[in-house]
Amino acid sequence: MASILDEYEDSLYRSASVQQSRASVGIPHSGYVNARLEKETPIFNKQRIDFAPPEKINSLVVSSNQLCMSLGKDTLLRIDLGKPDEPNQVELGRKDEAKVYKMFLDHTGSHLLIALNTSECLYLNRSVQKVRTLSRWKGHLIESVGWNKFLGSETNTGPILVGTAQGQIYEAEISVSEGSLFSTNPDQYFRQVYTLEEESGPAPVCCLEIERGIEGKFFIIATTRKRLFQFVGKVPEGTEQQGFSSIFAMHADHLPSFREFPANLGFSEIAFYTPKLRSNPRSFAWMMGNGVLYGTLDYSRPDSILSDERVWVYPSDIDITVNKPISIVLTQFHFLLLLPDRVKAVCTLNGQVVFQDLFLEKFGLLTRMIKDPTVQQIWIHTEKVVFRYHVQRESRDVWKMYMNMNKFDLAKEYCKDRPECLDIVLAKEAEHCFQNKRYLDSAKCYALTQNYFEEIALKFIEAKQEEALMEFLIKKLSNLKPYEKTQTTLLTTWLTELYLNWLGILEGDPSQRNLYLDTREKFRTFLSSPKNKDCLFNNRASIYELLASHGDTEHMVYFAVIMQDYERVVAHHCQHDEYDEALNVLSRHRDEKLFYKFSPVLIQHIPKKVVDAWISMGSRLDARNLIPALVNYSQSASTQQINEAIRYMEFCVYQLEETQQAIHNYLLSLYALCRPDSLLSYLEQAGTNPNRIHYDLKYALRLCAEHGHHHACVHIYKVMELYEEAVDLALQVDVDLAKSCADLPEDDEELRKKLWLKIARHVVQEEKDVKKAMACLSSCALLKIEDVLPFFPDFVTIDHFKEAICNSLEDYNKHIEELKREMEEATQSAKRIREDIQEMRNKYGSVEPQEKCAACDFPLLNRPFYLFLCGHMFHYDCLLQAVFPNLPAYKQAKLEDLQKKLAATSQPSKSHHRPKDADTISLGKGQQSREQIKADIDDIVAAECVYCGELMIRSIDKPFIDPQKYEEEMQSWL
């Protein structure tokens, strides 16, 4: 194990050296660099609004990108922040000394309530320009409004709650009638539903919030200066429009649940954080005298929505008697406190001040801070200036706080996109788990970090936590990159060694049986993992050695199967006499080479199953490669066992239709050895055509002769067309068999006669059966009695041949008569032919002087010509010109030769001094030769009419214009 660890350290050192060399020349690497490359933007980024109010700002509210501010005594400015260049100014139209006390804007930015210090209230809808007085609200100084986020619309608020400075809570509804001809009061009703009290009596209702939980349950939060009340109740489905009176009625006889703190700011303010638009708030922060009560909202709780409450006291520099906080705003992880001259941001996780922004005196005292819940922007104003804060990446450092609180899951959630931070969290979590002896969890975390491998491994080794070490190595292996082959190999080998050690320990302890089975399953999963497959395959020799050193044959076979090393698996089963298992492996994986290798062993023990497996493989196996196994098996096996070999060979021959000579020869040898009855039927089925026979005829003949199978030998002789040998051998077996052989050479009558004479001689001399000899004469028409007589002994009387001799003489007489008749017919035919010749000699045709040549259309009588029986007439030269191109080459050559000879006989003799008699003789000879030459030319040229004979028929597919002269002919027509 130490050597493996050293090797892994070396590989890591080499990797680190490469990274260091890269860094020295400015090449980036995969390590984490904890450095700020540019100035990070603050979480709360302040922006001053480019706006100079004409009068001092009394109040400012914003919601859904709609901003409303009260300027001076009588002016109201509305701005759609989506169109900031188009502000809308509305005059309140008050003639008295009334001033704006507070303004309330609903969540849609449509309904604006303006509370005056004269205990009056005005209403302005976003879609109108005229401010309306709410007459029913007169006489009440409005401190807070709880908007209905579930039933409110742009023209109707739905039932809302209104808190007054006298502690009363009223329920009201405001509606704007669109298109009405008559002005109607917008306030539909205004009725008291509850009064909030402290120990000294009724107290101002500082804040109101309405939230809906599950199953129709509503939660109403109301605060005074020191108390936070909760009203919980259900509103029946379909009755939400009727308001919340029923919820408050439930607490008419007893106080609702509340939280109270002793200190008093003179007012309080509660803020909520909503992660998404139109979703329920997730957390709250209540600013009161003792600090800020912070907690989450759990809508599943039956009596109280507040959960995980804790009080964060004010920072030490805040004295509530001198510079008490004015407003509070809550974000996801911070609450912001507005002081007269600054803003402080406190983290809700640890209560630490993480941000402070001091405002210059020239801007004046800070008046109020509010947040637009839809766009998560924070607004602050003085009497002169308006500021806006953008919240950017608020969660950037939250992971550190969660990590220090040991809330590692949350810490990892908030740094999952920052690998360098995630690595720090994982290392801290791993160390925390290790210190608390949660070694497996520690190993899982360590495997995901960039900490030095050898330090972590030695840490688990020193703690004697092999199971945790294995978990660490497994996780580390799964995180390696494909190119880290050396580290992968070392980890794989090390894990195999650890698994085998652990399995060896557990196997010897019966009480750890379940753990052993679980570990064995994990080990097998590790071996069969697709990610480890290539590494295990490339290092399978080392893995085999490890398995063998531990004597774990079970996993050696399992690993061999995974590596598809079926040869090793089959060999293992054969060595342990598990032949059925070996054959099952072969049959399951259907590897031809393994069948060839192990069949000689398997067929000795389970021949029938092996042959069945061969047959199931079909044509995938080459039977020639299995013949050695069958030969070794058949030499030592019984006849019954040889039948298995014959069964496979028959399958190859008859089912697979194998044509290999070796297969057919081996089947022949098995037939000759054990099944002589099947031998002859096989030979007959193979046929008698030597070109279509797949066995070796000479080998088959020798084999059959050695085993005395004469019928088979006779058949082979017949196939080889050795009919004399076939008849000689057949006569030793059966005369009828010999007769069937004697009739085979149908085209050679002399051989047939010879074969039948052999049969006759055998019948006469060997069997001495005269009647059977006479039967031979009747079986073969080629044999005559005179051919057979020499075979009979001298003492045989003529009585036995009387009938045969008479039949022979009658046949001779018939033959003579036939010859006479044929001679007379020939004589008559010759006579008729002579008469026809004589008649042809005297036949003539008449030619008129105006007749013309059928070829050239010139007068016929001008030159030598031919006249055919069909009536066509041609000049000699015209006919020759038409016939010559269509003659065969050899006739063309003969015709040219005859023409040369004819020309030679036409030349006069150069000698003028020869005797007269000699000239006469020479002329006679020349004249005779010339006539013969002309006759030969006529036989070639005038054999038939060129227009009516076969020549015209043969030329029907020839084009009218020679293809070679086509271009020339076409040009001549242009």
Short mmCIF file of all heavy atoms in Angstrom, two decimals, residues 670-695:
data_model
loop_
_atom_site.label_atom_id
_atom_site.label_comp_id
_atom_site.label_asym_id
_atom_site.label_seq_id
_atom_site.Cartn_x
_atom_site.Cartn_y
_atom_site.Cartn_z
N LEU A 670 -16.99 -42.76 -40.89
CA LEU A 670 -17.84 -43.18 -39.77
C LEU A 670 -18.90 -44.17 -40.23
O LEU A 670 -19.20 -45.15 -39.54
CB LEU A 670 -18.49 -41.94 -39.15
CG LEU A 670 -17.54 -40.95 -38.46
CD1 LEU A 670 -18.32 -39.72 -37.98
CD2 LEU A 670 -16.84 -41.60 -37.28
N TYR A 671 -19.49 -43.92 -41.39
CA TYR A 671 -20.46 -44.86 -41.94
C TYR A 671 -19.81 -46.23 -42.18
O TYR A 671 -20.38 -47.28 -41.85
CB TYR A 671 -21.02 -44.33 -43.25
CG TYR A 671 -22.13 -43.30 -43.09
CD1 TYR A 671 -22.32 -42.30 -44.05
CD2 TYR A 671 -23.00 -43.35 -42.02
CE1 TYR A 671 -23.33 -41.37 -43.92
CE2 TYR A 671 -24.00 -42.41 -41.87
CZ TYR A 671 -24.18 -41.42 -42.82
OH TYR A 671 -25.19 -40.52 -42.69
N ALA A 672 -18.64 -46.22 -42.79
CA ALA A 672 -17.97 -47.49 -43.09
C ALA A 672 -17.62 -48.24 -41.83
O ALA A 672 -17.62 -49.49 -41.81
CB ALA A 672 -16.71 -47.21 -43.90
N LEU A 673 -17.35 -47.49 -40.73
CA LEU A 673 -16.96 -48.13 -39.49
C LEU A 673 -18.15 -48.67 -38.71
O LEU A 673 -18.09 -49.78 -38.18
CB LEU A 673 -16.17 -47.13 -38.64
CG LEU A 673 -15.63 -47.63 -37.30
CD1 LEU A 673 -14.60 -48.73 -37.52
CD2 LEU A 673 -15.01 -46.49 -36.50
N CYS A 674 -19.24 -47.89 -38.65
CA CYS A 674 -20.33 -48.24 -37.75
C CYS A 674 -21.70 -48.39 -38.42
O CYS A 674 -22.57 -49.05 -37.86
CB CYS A 674 -20.46 -47.20 -36.65
SG CYS A 674 -19.02 -47.08 -35.58
N ARG A 675 -21.90 -47.81 -39.55
CA ARG A 675 -23.23 -47.83 -40.17
C ARG A 675 -23.12 -48.19 -41.66
O ARG A 675 -23.28 -47.32 -42.52
CB ARG A 675 -23.91 -46.48 -40.03
CG ARG A 675 -24.37 -46.15 -38.62
CD ARG A 675 -25.24 -44.93 -38.66
NE ARG A 675 -25.57 -44.42 -37.34
CZ ARG A 675 -26.27 -43.32 -37.12
NH1 ARG A 675 -26.70 -42.59 -38.15
NH2 ARG A 675 -26.55 -42.91 -35.89
N PRO A 676 -22.85 -49.45 -41.96
CA PRO A 676 -22.73 -49.83 -43.38
C PRO A 676 -24.06 -49.64 -44.13
O PRO A 676 -24.05 -49.40 -45.34
CB PRO A 676 -22.31 -51.30 -43.34
CG PRO A 676 -22.66 -51.77 -41.96
CD PRO A 676 -22.54 -50.59 -41.06
N ASP A 677 -25.18 -49.76 -43.42
CA ASP A 677 -26.48 -49.58 -44.10
C ASP A 677 -26.65 -48.14 -44.58
O ASP A 677 -27.21 -47.89 -45.66
CB ASP A 677 -27.62 -49.94 -43.14
CG ASP A 677 -27.60 -51.42 -42.76
OD1 ASP A 677 -27.00 -52.19 -43.52
OD2 ASP A 677 -28.16 -51.77 -41.71
N SER A 678 -26.19 -47.21 -43.79
CA SER A 678 -26.31 -45.81 -44.18
C SER A 678 -25.28 -45.42 -45.23
O SER A 678 -25.45 -44.43 -45.94
CB SER A 678 -26.12 -44.91 -42.95
OG SER A 678 -27.08 -45.19 -41.97
N LEU A 679 -24.22 -46.23 -45.34
CA LEU A 679 -23.16 -45.90 -46.29
C LEU A 679 -23.67 -45.90 -47.72
O LEU A 679 -23.47 -44.93 -48.47
CB LEU A 679 -22.01 -46.90 -46.14
CG LEU A 679 -20.87 -46.77 -47.16
CD1 LEU A 679 -20.18 -45.41 -47.02
CD2 LEU A 679 -19.85 -47.89 -46.95
N LEU A 680 -24.36 -46.98 -48.12
CA LEU A 680 -24.81 -47.08 -49.50
C LEU A 680 -25.87 -46.03 -49.81
O LEU A 680 -25.86 -45.44 -50.91
CB LEU A 680 -25.37 -48.49 -49.76
CG LEU A 680 -25.73 -48.79 -51.21
CD1 LEU A 680 -24.52 -48.62 -52.12
CD2 LEU A 680 -26.30 -50.20 -51.34
N SER A 681 -26.77 -45.75 -48.85
CA SER A 681 -27.79 -44.74 -49.10
C SER A 681 -27.16 -43.36 -49.25
O SER A 681 -27.61 -42.54 -50.06
CB SER A 681 -28.81 -44.75 -47.96
OG SER A 681 -28.18 -44.40 -46.73
N TYR A 682 -26.10 -43.11 -48.47
CA TYR A 682 -25.40 -41.82 -48.62
C TYR A 682 -24.78 -41.70 -50.01
O TYR A 682 -24.88 -40.66 -50.67
CB TYR A 682 -24.33 -41.70 -47.54
CG TYR A 682 -23.33 -40.59 -47.82
CD1 TYR A 682 -23.65 -39.26 -47.60
CD2 TYR A 682 -22.07 -40.89 -48.33
CE1 TYR A 682 -22.75 -38.24 -47.87
CE2 TYR A 682 -21.16 -39.88 -48.61
CZ TYR A 682 -21.50 -38.57 -48.37
OH TYR A 682 -20.61 -37.56 -48.65
N LEU A 683 -24.12 -42.81 -50.45
CA LEU A 683 -23.47 -42.77 -51.76
C LEU A 683 -24.49 -42.58 -52.87
O LEU A 683 -24.27 -41.83 -53.83
CB LEU A 683 -22.68 -44.06 -51.99
CG LEU A 683 -21.48 -44.27 -51.06
CD1 LEU A 683 -20.87 -45.65 -51.29
CD2 LEU A 683 -20.42 -43.20 -51.28
N GLU A 684 -25.62 -43.27 -52.77
CA GLU A 684 -26.64 -43.14 -53.80
C GLU A 684 -27.25 -41.75 -53.80
O GLU A 684 -27.56 -41.19 -54.86
CB GLU A 684 -27.73 -44.20 -53.57
CG GLU A 684 -27.25 -45.62 -53.84
CD GLU A 684 -28.29 -46.66 -53.49
OE1 GLU A 684 -29.28 -46.28 -52.84
OE2 GLU A 684 -28.11 -47.85 -53.84
N GLN A 685 -27.42 -41.17 -52.60
CA GLN A 685 -27.97 -39.82 -52.51
C GLN A 685 -27.00 -38.78 -53.08
O GLN A 685 -27.43 -37.75 -53.61
CB GLN A 685 -28.31 -39.49 -51.06
CG GLN A 685 -29.06 -38.17 -50.89
CD GLN A 685 -29.54 -37.97 -49.47
OE1 GLN A 685 -29.42 -38.86 -48.63
NE2 GLN A 685 -30.09 -36.81 -49.19
N ALA A 686 -25.73 -39.07 -52.98
CA ALA A 686 -24.74 -38.14 -53.52
C ALA A 686 -24.77 -38.08 -55.03
O ALA A 686 -24.28 -37.12 -55.63
CB ALA A 686 -23.34 -38.51 -53.04
N GLY A 687 -25.33 -39.10 -55.68
CA GLY A 687 -25.47 -39.08 -57.13
C GLY A 687 -24.30 -39.76 -57.84
O GLY A 687 -23.39 -40.33 -57.21
N THR A 688 -24.32 -39.69 -59.17
CA THR A 688 -23.31 -40.36 -59.99
C THR A 688 -22.51 -39.39 -60.83
O THR A 688 -21.69 -39.82 -61.66
CB THR A 688 -23.98 -41.40 -60.90
OG1 THR A 688 -24.96 -40.74 -61.72
CG2 THR A 688 -24.66 -42.49 -60.08
N ASN A 689 -22.77 -38.11 -60.69
CA ASN A 689 -22.02 -37.12 -61.45
C ASN A 689 -20.76 -36.76 -60.67
O ASN A 689 -20.83 -36.16 -59.60
CB ASN A 689 -22.87 -35.87 -61.67
CG ASN A 689 -22.20 -34.88 -62.58
OD1 ASN A 689 -21.02 -34.99 -62.89
ND2 ASN A 689 -22.96 -33.90 -63.06
N PRO A 690 -19.58 -37.11 -61.18
CA PRO A 690 -18.34 -36.86 -60.42
C PRO A 690 -18.12 -35.39 -60.09
O PRO A 690 -17.50 -35.07 -59.09
CB PRO A 690 -17.24 -37.39 -61.35
CG PRO A 690 -17.93 -38.34 -62.28
CD PRO A 690 -19.31 -37.80 -62.46
N ASN A 691 -18.65 -34.50 -60.91
CA ASN A 691 -18.45 -33.07 -60.67
C ASN A 691 -19.30 -32.55 -59.51
O ASN A 691 -19.06 -31.45 -59.01
CB ASN A 691 -18.77 -32.28 -61.93
CG ASN A 691 -17.82 -32.63 -63.07
OD1 ASN A 691 -16.64 -32.89 -62.83
ND2 ASN A 691 -18.33 -32.65 -64.29
N ARG A 692 -20.33 -33.29 -59.15
CA ARG A 692 -21.21 -32.86 -58.07
C ARG A 692 -21.07 -33.70 -56.81
O ARG A 692 -21.89 -33.61 -55.90
CB ARG A 692 -22.67 -32.90 -58.54
CG ARG A 692 -22.94 -31.92 -59.68
CD ARG A 692 -24.39 -31.92 -60.05
NE ARG A 692 -24.66 -30.96 -61.13
CZ ARG A 692 -25.86 -30.74 -61.66
NH1 ARG A 692 -26.91 -31.42 -61.21
NH2 ARG A 692 -26.02 -29.86 -62.62
N ILE A 693 -20.07 -34.53 -56.78
CA ILE A 693 -19.82 -35.38 -55.61
C ILE A 693 -18.74 -34.71 -54.77
O ILE A 693 -17.71 -34.27 -55.29
CB ILE A 693 -19.38 -36.79 -56.07
CG1 ILE A 693 -20.59 -37.52 -56.67
CG2 ILE A 693 -18.80 -37.57 -54.90
CD1 ILE A 693 -20.26 -38.87 -57.20
N HIS A 694 -18.99 -34.61 -53.45
CA HIS A 694 -18.12 -33.84 -52.56
C HIS A 694 -17.13 -34.70 -51.79
O HIS A 694 -16.28 -34.15 -51.08
CB HIS A 694 -18.97 -33.04 -51.58
CG HIS A 694 -19.98 -32.16 -52.23
ND1 HIS A 694 -19.63 -31.19 -53.12
CD2 HIS A 694 -21.34 -32.12 -52.14
CE1 HIS A 694 -20.71 -30.57 -53.55
NE2 HIS A 694 -21.78 -31.12 -52.98
N TYR A 695 -17.21 -36.04 -51.91
CA TYR A 695 -16.23 -36.88 -51.22
C TYR A 695 -15.16 -37.30 -52.23
O TYR A 695 -15.32 -37.18 -53.45
CB TYR A 695 -16.89 -38.10 -50.59
CG TYR A 695 -17.67 -38.97 -51.54
CD1 TYR A 695 -17.02 -39.96 -52.30
CD2 TYR A 695 -19.04 -38.82 -51.69
CE1 TYR A 695 -17.75 -40.76 -53.18
CE2 TYR A 695 -19.76 -39.60 -52.57
CZ TYR A 695 -19.10 -40.57 -53.31
OH TYR A 695 -19.79 -41.36 -54.19
#
